[in-house]
Amino acid sequence: MKYVMRQAVRQVGKPRAAGEQGPRGPGAARAGERLAHVDALRGFALLGILVVNIGFMASTYHGTGLEDPRFDAPLDGAVRWAVAVFFEAKFFLLFSFLFGYSFTLQLASAERSGSRFVPRFLRRLAGLFVLGLLHAVLLFTGDILTTYAVLGLVLLAARRIRSRTAVRTAVILFAVTAAAYLLLAGGVHLTGGGAGGEPGAAAGAERAAAELRGGPGSVIGENLAQLPDMAFLLVFFQAPAALAAFFLGLAAGRGRALADLARHRTVLVRLQWAGFSVGLLGAVVYAHANLVHPGGSYQLLALGIDVVTAPLLAAAYAATVLRLAQGRFGRRTVAVLGPVGSMTLTGYLAQSLVGALLFTGYGAALVGRMSPPAVLALALALFAAQVVVSRWWLRRHRYGPAEWLLRAWTTLTLPPLRRPATPEG
C-alpha cells in the first residue's frame, strides 16, 4: 500500500470518562459517572488494533504487496483475508471516534471544575507526542499517538464548532479523501501504472527482517529507516480519516449520544445494517485489491472505496458492542472488555512492547518466522492476558501506569495511584 500510494503521487492511526448531563432514560449516566459501555468499546477497539499491528510486527512483507514466500498454505491465506476484511483500516477509526468523544468529556470536566482547559490539553498532546515518538523509534513504527497529538491541535482549535458543522466537516473529509484516491487511480491508469509489488520489495523485506533480528542498535536503526515511509502512510491514509472520526466523536459527545443508549437503539440497529452490508462489501474489495492485485490503479480505487465504507463497518462494530453491553450479556461484556478499555494507553504500549520482545532482537527475534494463524492466535492470547492483568491492576489502582504518567504531566500534580484499602484487602 505504501508503494502504490507513493508511486501514484509521483505520477500525477485517554482520559477517564467523566460522565455527562442531559436527558436521561433508564441506564443513562449522571455527571461524574464512568460509562462502562464506553470502556468496553475502547477495549474492543484495542483488540482490533492489536490484531492489525501484530501482523506488521511479525512480517516485514506486510504492506509491500507481496506475500511472505515461507507461508503460502491455504490457512495462511485465509487468515490474511480475514484480517484484511474484518480488521485493517477499521479499528483506528473507532479509536479516533473515541478520542473526539473523550475530548468533549474533558471540556465538560474543565467547565465543572473551573480549571483552564487549553494549557492542560496542550500539555496532554505534548505528552502523547513524546510517548508516541519513543514508541515509534524504540518499539513499533506504526504509531498512532503522534498523529493524534498533531490532529488534536485541530480539534482544540475547533472546540466551539457546532455539532452539525462537525458532522458535515467529517463527511467532507471522507469524501475529499476518497475523491483524491479515485483521481489518483485514474491518473495511474492513464499513465500505465502497473500492478504488483515494488521492484526489489522482497529483497528489502528480507533485509529489514535481518536488521530487526539484530541487537537493540540494529532494531532502532531499522525503525528510524522505516519512519519516512510510515509517516507517508499516516499522512495520506490515516490522518484525514482519523480527523474525520475526531469530528464525529466530538458531535456525538456534544449530543451525549453514548450517555443514554436506550434513546438511540434505532440508530444503532441502522448502523449495524449499513455497516454489515455496504461496509463489509467495501472491506472485501479492499482486501481483494491488497492481497490479489496490489499496486496500480485498482488498489487506489479500492482505497477510495474503503475510505467511505470502512467508517460504516467500524460504526457497525461499535453499535454491536454497545448493544451487547446494554443487553442480556451486558455484565459479561463489560467485565471482559471494560478494564482493558479503562487503560488503553497502557494496553496499547504494552502490546508493542511484547511484540518487540517477541519479534525483534530485543528478545526472541521471531520476525518472519511465525505463520499468520500462529500470529493471530498469539494476538488473541495476548489480549486475553491483558484482560486478566487489567482487572487485577484496577482492583488495586485508579489508573493504568501510562495513564497515571500522562495525567500527572497534564495536571502538573501527582494524583493518587493506589485505591484506598478495603476490609477485603
Side-chain angles (χ1 to χ4, degrees):
M1 184 163 61
K2 292 181 289 184
Y3 164 68
V4 69
M5 292 167 61
R6 191 186 308 113
Q7 291 300 104
V9 170
R10 288 174 182 169
Q11 294 182 54
V12 249
K14 153 204 144 185
R16 297 171 71 84
E20 299 163 288
Q21 293 177 329
R24 295 199 299 268
R30 298 177 181 177
E33 288 182 349
R34 290 190 62 82
L35 299 177
H37 51 276
V38 176
D39 283 338
L41 183 55
R42 286 194 182 95
F44 178 72
L46 190 65
L47 169 61
I49 292 291
L50 170 61
V51 170
V52 175
N53 284 355
I54 203 169
F56 279 90
M57 299 187 78
S59 175
T60 51
Y61 280 86
H62 207 111
T64 64
L66 300 175
E67 293 185 2
D68 191 326
R70 289 178 288 268
F71 304 110
D72 57 358
L75 185 58
D76 298 329
V79 170
R80 290 190 183 101
W81 265 90
V83 172
V85 170
F86 296 107
F87 291 90
E88 287 185 10
K90 313 326 184 273
F91 284 85
F92 84 93
L93 293 171
L94 279 181
F95 251 17
S96 303
F97 171 85
L98 290 168
F99 187 96
Y101 190 89
S102 295
F103 176 77
T104 66
L105 302 183
Q106 295 172 68
L107 276 172
S109 177
E111 290 176 0
R112 288 194 300 269
S113 64
S115 58
R116 298 176 62 198
F117 175 74
V118 173
R120 290 178 58 164
F121 191 69
L122 288 174
R123 285 195 296 271
R124 180 178 180 81
L125 294 181
L128 282 176
F129 187 86
V130 171
L131 285 174
L133 193 60
L134 292 172
H135 175 234
V137 172
L138 299 177
L139 300 178
F140 176 52
T141 54
D143 171 74
I144 195 65
L145 300 179
T146 50
T147 302
Y148 281 8
V150 174
L151 295 181
L153 295 173
V154 179
L155 200 60
L156 180 63
R159 64 188 181 277
R160 294 186 178 87
I161 192 173
R162 298 178 59 185
S163 297
R164 288 186 179 181
T165 305
V167 173
R168 289 169 182 166
T169 302
V171 172
I172 290 172
L173 280 169
F174 283 130
V176 169
T177 304
Y181 280 122
L182 296 181
L183 289 174
L184 286 172
V188 169
H189 180 72
L190 291 175
T191 55
E198 182 176 4
E206 294 295 336
R207 180 204 60 77
E211 291 294 321
L212 290 173
R213 294 186 192 118
S218 177
V219 173
I220 293 173
E222 180 59 26
N223 286 344
L224 288 171
Q226 291 181 14
L227 281 181
D229 280 348
M230 188 57 66
F232 186 92
L233 174 64
L234 290 173
V235 169
F236 287 95
F237 182 71
Q238 282 195 332
L243 183 58
F246 276 14
F247 280 114
L248 291 177
L250 185 149
R254 287 273 179 78
R256 297 174 290 277
L258 302 185
D260 187 1
L261 295 179
R263 293 191 300 129
H264 303 291
R265 183 182 181 280
T266 301
V267 174
L268 295 177
V269 172
R270 289 174 178 174
L271 287 175
Q272 287 178 297
W273 276 104
F276 291 130
S277 55
V278 178
L280 195 56
L281 180 61
V284 171
V285 174
Y286 165 86
H288 183 260
N290 280 275
L291 297 176
V292 181
H293 297 288
S297 57
Y298 175 47
Q299 188 177 21
L300 285 166
L301 174 65
L303 289 174
I305 293 172
D306 183 72
V307 166
V308 294
T309 58
L312 294 175
L313 187 52
Y317 287 159
T320 301
V321 173
L322 292 173
R323 292 190 65 193
L324 281 173
Q326 294 291 300
R328 178 182 176 184
F329 302 102
R331 287 181 179 271
R332 186 172 302 177
T333 301
V334 170
V336 172
L337 298 175
V340 185
S342 297
M343 42 192 289
T344 48
L345 180 58
T346 296
Y348 175 71
L349 296 175
Q351 289 172 355
S352 294
L353 175 61
V354 172
L357 290 173
L358 288 173
F359 295 111
T360 75
Y362 291 150
L366 293 176
V367 61
R369 294 169 176 167
M370 288 186 69
S371 67
V375 172
L376 179 59
L378 175 63
L380 297 177
L382 175 55
F383 187 77
Q386 287 190 294
V387 169
V388 175
V389 172
S390 297
R391 294 182 66 178
W392 171 84
W393 179 271
L394 289 176
R395 280 198 293 264
R396 294 161 176 81
H397 303 85
R398 299 172 186 268
Y399 314 100
E403 285 77 11
W404 181 88
L405 180 64
L406 184 60
R407 188 179 185 90
W409 164 247
T410 299
T411 61
L412 298 180
T413 64
L414 290 178
L417 178 59
R418 293 193 65 88
R419 292 186 183 278
T422 63
E424 294 76 22

